[in-house]
Amino acid sequence: MKVFVADDISSLGLDRLKQYQEIEIEKRTGLKEDELIAAVSDAEALLVRSQTKVTRKVIQACGQLKVIGRAGVGVDNIDVDAATEHGIVVINAPDGNTISAAEHTFAMLISLSRHIPQARQTMQEGKWDRKTFVGVELSGKTLAVVGMGRIGTEVAKRAKAFGMRLVAYDPFLTEDRAKTLGVTLKSLEDAVAEADFVTVHTPLTKDTKHIIDEKMFGKMKTGVRIVNCARGGIIDEVALCEALTSGKVAGAAFDVFEEEPVTADHPLLQFPQVITTPHLGASTVEAQVNVAVSVAEEVGHVLVGKPFKNAVNIPSLSEEQKQYLQPHLNLGERLGKFVGQLASGAMSEVEMVFCGELDDSDLPFVSRSVLKGLLGYRYGDEVNFINAPTLAKQAGMTIRQVRESQHKVFTHLLSLSVRVNGELHKVAGTLYNGLGPRIVEIEGYPIDASTEGKMIFTKHHDRPGMIGHLGSMLGKEQINIAAMQVGRKETGGEAVMLLTVDKLVPESVVHELSQLPGIHEVQTIVL
């Protein structure tokens, strides 16, 4: 079996594949798309880092491909949907660079507090300047950690060792879990308002893009210091430059940027109190070895039929099982994604009710798909089909599965209920022949909607003209409505509406919609 390696991957990782006599390794890097297709046409496995783009065209042309391995966390360079359609397992290495990223964050914190890069630069210039670089101690200072996933948790551990006081914002973190980690859970506004240092560790989503913006900088102490070693775009760079200019922010340390690579005229590079590195969070010998070893071991297990744990898309199923279960897995993941965006917050209880044709042995697979979708907005690329139940347990969530033989209306129905910050949210879906997965209930209201696309969800008072007001406002913003579904229980009461639109709806438009008379709630959802 041929394994083709398209990027530079640690030889220590590839050595794990060489233990299998039936596996042959071929390595060539820097290939263009057509060259990659030719090289992988007879391969059973493809190994990449972030440089090689594994497109739908590549996947469709490689009929023997069984597994694609990504030596790292993110799989943005792989068309996962195309791989899934062709029954190809996509493997990543979600744990390999956690410590590396956490340590780099802390290196930035220390460098920021003591002006280490700036002081070194003046010494290169022949100066001996001690007065300019008087720093601050970390001990006794308050660190706000925005996002308490794996890396945020590791940063918090190190901050405690330095005697820092820890506050955290994570809408998915329960109070019990926060106590276990030794952090005080706060709203985002309160966390940044108390902080001497702020570090962000969230995935980049529509909810976290520019989560630290002009408004948040306005709530911070004068002299606060900011660190971003997570994803470019979590912090509004324009607003940060303004805060640096005004003196509100005393310094910043950035490893990631909204546009990469960064050019010499980038505004942040013009501030002497800003420390920058070129996306080095995972750039340690250990991290590169860890991700290479992890993904190579997993790819080897897939090829020789052993169990594997880091599948991004599908589990270890037979071809017959995949064909039968794939529509159910898709429905489960999409319902999870829907609720995850509908009600962002600390999820404490999850109940899945399965009605209809699935066997008891099928339920764990669909349950994992639901959790993968549900946790996707918290963990981003770190969550996969295999580790989703573990991450849910670590987050303090109680998972309950209920099996019912039949439903009075639908042949098959999956109902998902999630308790978020004490409130119960519910969505249900089914499979229609020829139409694929459909949403048939939202928050107790009957509806019939697709599970794909960019959407606007509203709760509103059911009265004449409501749909027209929404449509007019969206039309004014050049946002076309592709589909619309309304659900209600009684005339003149509360109703829900799900609009599928052709492009993402800006937050400013969402705010305007929420101000319309009779509108009680507006959410954007992307499936």
Side-chain angles (χ1 to χ4, degrees), residues 387-451:
N387 68 9
T390 301
L391 295 177
K393 184 177 180 181
Q394 290 175 350
M397 295 163 58
T398 301
I399 312 298
R400 184 168 177 255
Q401 299 177 29
V402 179
R403 173 83 160 83
E404 296 183 356
S405 59
Q406 61 183 11
H407 189 269
K408 60 183 179 181
V409 176
F410 300 101
T411 303
H412 166 81
L413 186 78
L414 171 54
S415 179
L416 173 62
S417 301
V418 182
R419 192 168 297 279
V420 181
N421 293 335
E423 294 185 1
L424 193 64
H425 298 272
K426 183 179 179 181
V427 63
T430 190
L431 297 171
Y432 286 151
N433 289 333
L435 293 177
R438 305 286 292 181
I439 297 173
V440 296
E441 181 184 333
I442 304 174
E443 304 289 42
Y445 293 88
I447 205 163
D448 180 14
S450 170
T451 59

Side-chain angles (χ1 to χ4, degrees), residues 305-342:
K306 293 182 179 179
F308 51 92
K309 63 179 182 179
N310 288 328
V312 171
N313 54 347
I314 52 179
S316 182
L317 297 170
S318 68
E319 287 301 321
E320 185 178 351
Q321 285 177 306
K322 287 176 189 175
Q323 186 175 1
Y324 170 66
L325 273 182
Q326 195 63 60
H328 298 276
L329 300 178
N330 289 341
L331 174 63
E333 184 168 356
R334 290 176 185 276
L335 292 182
K337 282 184 178 179
F338 192 96
V339 176
Q341 296 172 73
L342 179 66

